[in-house]
Amino acid sequence: LDPNPLHSDGMRPIHRAILSGDTDAVKTLLNAEVPADIPTEEVKEEDVLIFPSKTPMELAETLSDVSKVKREPSPRGARADVDG
């Protein structure tokens, strides 16, 4: 069983676990010695870069930045993560 297959979207299980926020899955994969430094594949459509290559740490940093934005109040004081 390959714990590190490349999916058609350019991501591996470690990338998917990070993006889903599933810390147990991330820990399990790292404990199984899945390389933590393998980047995603670039995703292009008609020669336009849709998703750049990112390492697991870069994906985690991206999620951290997004969650900070969601926690900041909007100009009217409403929460940014509440659909309106």
Side-chain angles (χ1 to χ4, degrees):
L1 178 65
D2 181 4
N4 206 27
L6 181 64
H7 295 272
S8 61
D9 64 0
M11 292 193 199
R12 299 177 187 278
I14 188 77
H15 304 126
R16 291 176 177 278
I18 289 169
L19 288 175
S20 73
D22 188 343
T23 56
D24 289 335
V26 172
K27 289 177 191 176
T28 299
L29 288 165
L30 292 175
N31 286 334
E33 299 184 10
V34 168
D37 59 349
I38 292 181
T40 59
E41 298 289 318
E42 286 186 348
V43 177
K44 292 184 178 182
E45 192 171 291
E46 297 180 15
D47 293 329
V48 175
L49 183 64
I50 295 175
F51 190 82
S53 178
K54 292 190 176 208
T55 64
M57 185 57 106
E58 290 169 331
L59 288 174
E61 289 170 355
T62 299
L63 288 178
S64 174
D65 292 343
V66 168
S67 70
K68 287 177 189 174
V69 169
K70 285 186 173 184
R71 281 186 258 133
E72 292 176 2
S74 68
R76 292 189 209 145
R79 289 180 37 196
D81 62 344
V82 176
D83 293 331

